Amino acid sequence: MTVGLFIPCYVDQFYPQAGIATLQLLEKLGVEVVYPPRQTCCGQPMANSGFSHLTGGCDELFVESFKAFDYVVAPSGSCVLHLKEHLHSEKYPVVAEKLRSRVFELVEFLTDILKVKDLKARFPHKVGVHQSCHGLRGLHLSQMSELVAPPFSKPEQLLHMVDGIELIKLDRADECCGFGGTFCVFEEAVSAKMGKDRVSDHMRNGAEYITGADLSCLMHMEGILRRQKSNVKVIHIAEILNQAVAE
Amino acid sequence: MAEVIDNEKHIRSGRANLPEDHSSLSSVFNEDEERVNWHDETLWFIRQKRDKAVHGIPEWEWLRDTASGIKNNVLSNLSVYLEQFEANAKANGIIVHWAADAAEHNQILHSILKRHGADRMVKSKSMLTEECHLNEYLAENGIEVIDSDLGERIVQLGKEPPSHIVLPCIHKKKEEIGDLFHQYLGTAAGESDPQVLTEAARQHLRDTFLTRRVALTGVNFAVAETGEFVVCTNEGNADMGAHLSDVHIASMGIEKLIPERKHLGVFLRLLTRSATGQPITTYSSHFKSPREGQEMHIILVDNGRSRQLGREDFRNSLKCIRCGSCMNTCPVYRRSGGHSYHAVISGPIGSILAPNLDMREYADLPFASTLCGSCSNVCPVKIDIHDQLYKWRQVLAKEGHVNKGKAAGMKAMSKVFSFPGLFSFAGKTGRWTMKYLPFIVNNKLNPWYKQREMPKPPEQSFREWYEKNRRME
Ligand code: SF4
């Protein structure tokens, strides 16, 4: 199985360690991983702002970069959701259609495709899980608090395999952090207030780290935490799952 | 994109002659953080009550599916059900009127009042009459309207529009309500005990009920099969008004129909659990025919609904039963307050209904969301609210209702992302993102920076690491 690794633009630029952890983790699990050099962006920043008609170039590049792979994996839930829902191509319509069902967010790839049952990782810390909205309500990585349906959580299923980790409980299990792409600047007041409230829920409940499957939310919360000079840190779930066990 | 941010202040200038937009109104709301916390927690409490109530119903999701299916049928056969309803209502002795828009609705109502020589009217809760700006219209014509729903009466006294469709005065603290009552109803200064205030309102309204000859109610459901309509209230104020009046007028949007009476068994179970977490409204009153000597009217109002029905992507919004749960769950609504939406119906549902009425005026509303999707999950009739917000954004951008700077920024961004050369050579780590990603513009005017630190650019990007550590194909 060969996996094409998609590292979204802002992850490439600001969170390379999450990309590296994703790559190393997949390799540890015996997957052959390739990072196609001509990739750029999933197109979501434009589409969510109402400019989906400008994403054609992005989409074509994506399809050309990844058309040869069995699967595409990315450490970012919202980019994956966007691709699953909107990827299209004038040049290769059939390939684009096929790719839409083969793009996976890292967590769901681990639980649903690789069916990972145990991991050798250790992270002796108190950790709060941020359920990013697009991963939660779009990709169904966890059960949504609004629905009357049996609970489950794919990120927590994986985190429970990590030695020494303690997952904290939040007062509001799955409220949005307020990032929302361009929402974070065009609706600055409400966005920042949502971020502050989300972060304080984690702090109130004793988190040392906030983790999740979407770096855009983590980036937002990190911006707030650092402004508040808090000791709480954000960390992408791949980095926790990839923590080596000290021999 | 940088110019977008520099021009942030001018976003409003793109809205010349328009009210302030959601962003600026909600930033004013956020100046008082204590109040935002209070508003957020009050509504979150209602969301939790809703959760508790619905988790007691194992077939909840089935009920939502069923309600959505029934409404699909109604929307697909609206004209048939409307005619069936009209025929049955007439046979029951109800006088049926059709109004194409708000103005016609108001004129019809006014003519009924004139015919009866009435200069006063009591009205129970009706978002439709808010939509038609009926109170203002009647006031201009010398007719006094008293809202008999407690929350509506409070905002009426405060000369404000409702900020929530189920809880019209949810933005007001009890002390502020006490001040209003002191000023208008003569309660003691500083009195803010809810029980005392409610009693004062009750005494004042009782007099209104006894002296008004004409009563207007809204309609929650109209049954095509029987020609009757159902009005749901907790205070019994609709019944009090209607039963004591000589003339009962009911105003309803044409989408309020359900085919058969038995379908109420689905909708009444959903409505109040979603709205407030109660099993059912205290009063779910059926009105079928006028009592002897009484006159009963129904005004069927379109006001843009058939246009919305014709918009394939947005027609589902007409399924709405106005439970308000999408507002209570919305993290943006809870932290902006209903008035920031500057539309009759606020919150997520308001943001997909308002652009149908006026795209230019309400172009900001579909953007007042993170698209988190919680609204669609609580909606008892399963409206795909957040998907419609996304779709409205596409329509608004294409029709040119998006700020010009934003549009230019998006074009620049799309160009960088379309050419890998531009993308990877646009500079070393952090440089191009600083330039093109709206939230990372390295500039003091960037609204991101007001309350948040920028991400720290690392020593090398993932791409650079990969080139050194793995063979790039
Ligand atoms: S859109 Fe759905 S949740 Fe919102 S008020 Fe209407 S019925 Fe209720």
Side-chain angles (χ1 to χ4, degrees):
Chain A
M1 174 197 300
T2 311
V3 161
L5 182 61
F6 173 48
I7 300 297
C9 48
Y10 70 99
V11 180
D12 173 57
Q13 296 282 312
F14 290 105
Y15 297 96
Q17 69 277 21
I20 297 167
T22 303
L23 173 73
Q24 290 176 340
L25 182 61
L26 289 169
E27 287 176 342
K28 264 194 226 171
L29 293 165
V31 179
E32 193 189 326
V33 187
V34 175
Y35 174 76
R38 282 169 56 81
Q39 59 178 287
T40 58
C41 168
C42 65
Q44 182 183 215
M46 291 160 285
N48 277 5
S49 304
F51 295 83
S52 59
H53 56 284
L54 296 180
T55 59
C58 248
D59 277 12
E60 295 296 350
L61 262 185
F62 188 91
V63 173
E64 275 174 34
S65 293
F66 290 100
K67 62 178 190 285
F69 295 100
D70 302 321
Y71 294 101
V72 182
V73 175
S76 176
S78 62
C79 305
V80 168
L81 179 66
H82 178 77
L83 291 164
K84 276 189 200 278
E85 290 184 339
H86 301 289
L87 183 70
H88 67 277
S89 164
E90 303 280 316
K91 275 193 232 156
Y92 310 102
V94 183
V95 184
E97 180 73 36
K98 212 175 81 187
L99 266 176
R100 283 163 68 154
S101 60
R102 283 163 182 258
V103 184
F104 286 85
E105 180 283 321
L106 175 67
V107 166
E108 58 176 359
F109 187 72
L110 297 179
T111 58
D112 299 1
I113 305 298
L114 295 185
K115 303 200 192 306
V116 170
K117 291 283 179 294
D118 67 317
L119 281 166
K120 291 204 179 354
R122 184 169 163 75
F123 196 70
H125 296 285
K126 287 182 149 188
V127 175
V129 178
H130 176 67
Q131 302 284 2
S132 291
C133 302
H134 290 172
L136 179 78
R137 300 193 184 84
L139 299 175
H140 300 166
L141 295 185
S142 300
Q143 188 54 275
M144 302 156 262
S145 64
E146 300 91 1
L147 300 189
V148 179
F152 68 88
S153 169
K154 294 176 188 179
E156 286 176 21
Q157 186 186 324
L158 293 170
L159 290 168
H160 283 310
M161 297 173 195
V162 175
D163 261 4
I165 199 167
E166 188 187 329
L167 299 183
I168 59 148
K169 240 179 113 54
L170 296 169
D171 298 338
R172 300 187 188 180
D174 53 15
E175 180 147 286
C176 177
C177 76
F179 173 66
T182 50
F183 179 86
C184 72
V185 287
F186 286 101
E187 288 271 358
E188 184 273 330
V190 176
S191 169
K193 177 62 180 150
M194 286 167 72
K196 288 198 298 197
D197 289 356
R198 201 80 305 270
V199 158
S200 71
D201 194 350
H202 285 272
M203 296 201 288
R204 200 166 48 242
N205 289 290
E208 296 166 61
Y209 286 88
I210 302 176
T211 194
D214 205 316
L215 271 162
S216 54
C217 315
L218 295 178
M219 173 172 70
H220 188 222
M221 289 188 283
E222 182 181 49
I224 304 237
L225 286 166
R226 283 187 36 227
R227 176 60 59 88
Q228 296 179 348
K229 306 214 179 329
S230 163
N231 292 325
V232 177
K233 294 189 178 58
V234 303
I235 184 168
H236 188 267
I237 189 166
E239 294 173 76
I240 296 184
L241 303 178
N242 189 46
Q243 291 278 329
V245 182
E247 295 298 327
Chain B
M1 204 67 203
E3 60 276 56
V4 182
I5 308 303
D6 293 344
N7 285 337
E8 203 242 352
K9 281 190 237 80
H10 305 297
I11 292 175
R12 274 171 256 162
S13 67
R15 295 174 55 80
N17 310 320
L18 289 176
E20 298 235 39
D21 63 3
H22 178 275
S23 168
S24 52
L25 291 166
S26 60
S27 70
V28 173
F29 187 74
N30 271 270
E31 278 164 13
D32 184 350
E33 190 164 0
E34 278 306 299
R35 195 182 183 91
V36 179
N37 291 340
W38 166 79
H39 191 262
D40 167 61
E41 275 153 26
T42 307
L43 288 152
W44 182 254
F45 177 68
I46 300 168
R47 155 79 203 266
Q48 284 177 307
K49 277 181 36 185
R50 173 258 174 215
D51 285 355
K52 235 176 140 184
V54 309
H55 282 282
I57 308 284
E59 69 273 29
W60 182 255
E61 302 303 332
W62 176 86
L63 279 174
R64 292 175 68 221
D65 277 331
T66 307
S68 176
I70 294 169
K71 283 285 183 180
N72 271 337
N73 174 343
V74 170
L75 294 180
S76 299
N77 303 287
L78 193 56
S79 59
V80 178
Y81 289 125
L82 278 169
E83 283 175 11
Q84 188 189 357
F85 175 75
E86 181 190 33
N88 287 329
K90 277 184 175 162
N92 297 337
I94 303 178
I95 304 160
V96 181
H97 310 259
W98 298 83
D101 54 21
E104 194 176 357
H105 165 266
N106 293 349
Q107 283 154 13
I108 291 170
L109 205 116
H110 190 205
S111 70
I112 300 171
L113 290 164
K114 269 202 293 212
R115 200 154 45 72
H116 288 272
D119 60 358
R120 302 189 294 176
M121 179 178 88
V122 63
K123 168 165 129 330
S124 73
K125 195 141 159 291
S126 147
M127 285 313 294
L128 176 62
T129 55
E130 293 290 336
E131 181 184 319
C132 296
H133 300 289
L134 176 72
N135 285 14
E136 294 90 318
Y137 171 87
L138 291 182
E140 278 162 27
N141 286 283
I143 290 167
E144 183 202 34
V145 180
I146 297 229
D147 279 307
S148 65
D149 172 89
L150 180 56
E152 293 242 299
R153 183 68 185 136
I154 291 167
V155 289
Q156 193 186 22
L157 290 175
K159 299 185 179 53
E160 287 178 300
S163 67
H164 185 292
I165 57 178
V166 173
L167 312 155
C169 68
I170 194 71
H171 60 288
K172 279 206 167 335
K173 296 194 178 184
K174 60 183 195 297
E175 292 74 20
E176 294 162 329
I177 296 169
D179 291 346
L180 271 178
F181 277 29
H182 171 62
Q183 191 183 344
Y184 292 101
L185 307 183
T187 52
E191 181 61 71
S192 67
D193 178 26
Q195 203 138 11
V196 175
L197 296 180
T198 311
E199 187 52 33
R202 179 172 297 160
Q203 294 306 332
H204 153 75
L205 285 171
R206 183 130 311 173
D207 175 58
T208 307
F209 286 130
L210 290 170
T211 53
R212 296 307 184 274
R213 302 272 64 99
V214 181
L216 185 142
T217 67
V219 170
N220 290 86
F221 304 98
V223 185
E225 168 197 40
T226 59
E228 78 202 84
F229 57 94
V230 180
V231 183
C232 302
T233 70
N234 273 334
E235 296 162 24
N237 55 310
D239 307 79
M240 190 82 109
H243 294 320
L244 289 169
S245 69
D246 300 333
V247 183
H248 175 187
I249 307 165
S251 292
M252 70 174 258
I254 53 174
E255 82 285 16
K256 292 280 175 243
L257 280 172
I258 55 172
E260 297 173 42
R261 192 188 256 166
K262 70 176 183 203
H263 296 143
L264 284 168
V266 173
F267 289 99
L268 292 180
R269 293 184 75 195
L270 286 165
L271 177 62
T272 326
R273 283 190 174 89
S274 298
T276 58
Q278 290 166 261
I280 196 163
T281 35
T282 316
Y283 300 86
S284 304
S285 307
H286 296 235
F287 295 92
K288 193 169 177 188
S289 51
R291 62 162 204 279
E292 224 170 88
Q294 192 194 33
E295 223 176 84
M296 192 180 276
H297 298 259
I298 282 195
I299 313 177
L300 295 161
V301 187
D302 184 329
N303 202 37
R305 286 162 177 76
S306 39
R307 185 175 41 204
Q308 187 86 324
L309 190 64
R311 297 188 203 269
E312 191 53 40
D313 284 342
F314 305 111
R315 63 181 302 206
N316 267 348
S317 60
L318 294 172
K319 291 179 179 176
C320 177
I321 56 171
R322 303 286 191 268
C323 74
S325 66
C326 56
M327 301 171 178
N328 306 339
T329 202
C330 177
V332 175
Y333 175 88
R334 277 188 263 113
R335 291 175 184 82
S336 17
H339 291 151
S340 293
Y341 291 79
H342 60 89
V344 171
I345 298 181
S346 56
I349 179 65
S351 299
I352 58 174
L353 291 175
N356 174 53
L357 293 173
D358 187 337
M359 268 195 224
R360 196 167 97 90
E361 182 168 351
Y362 301 116
D364 57 319
L365 294 184
F367 293 91
S369 161
T370 59
L371 306 180
C372 82
S374 186
C375 47
S376 307
N377 274 351
V378 295
C379 179
V381 286
K382 295 189 86 161
I383 300 172
D384 51 342
I385 307 173
H386 73 294
D387 288 333
Q388 292 193 32
L389 289 167
Y390 174 88
K391 287 173 184 162
W392 267 118
R393 293 180 185 188
Q394 314 307 319
V395 173
L396 293 165
K398 275 203 187 129
E399 305 260 329
H401 294 294
V402 170
N403 158 278
K404 287 208 174 59
K406 197 179 196 176
M410 289 297 155
K411 279 205 185 97
M413 195 195 278
S414 123
K415 200 169 153 208
V416 176
F417 287 149
S418 303
F419 298 98
L422 264 184
F423 176 80
S424 54
F425 298 110
K428 281 287 164 201
T429 303
R431 285 248 298 281
W432 69 262
T433 6
M434 294 285 189
K435 214 160 152 213
Y436 292 108
L437 281 191
F439 35 93
I440 308 175
V441 176
N442 199 3
N443 168 338
K444 269 212 226 71
L445 292 171
N446 180 357
W448 171 283
Y449 194 67
K450 227 174 123 189
Q451 302 188 62
R452 296 162 284 209
E453 293 296 319
M454 305 289 181
K456 278 197 216 125
E459 300 210 328
Q460 54 185 353
S461 67
F462 176 81
R463 179 182 296 269
E464 289 164 324
W465 178 90
Y466 191 86
E467 278 165 8
K468 278 185 218 141
N469 293 277
R470 296 285 190 283
R471 195 168 46 89
M472 197 86 146
E473 275 179 73

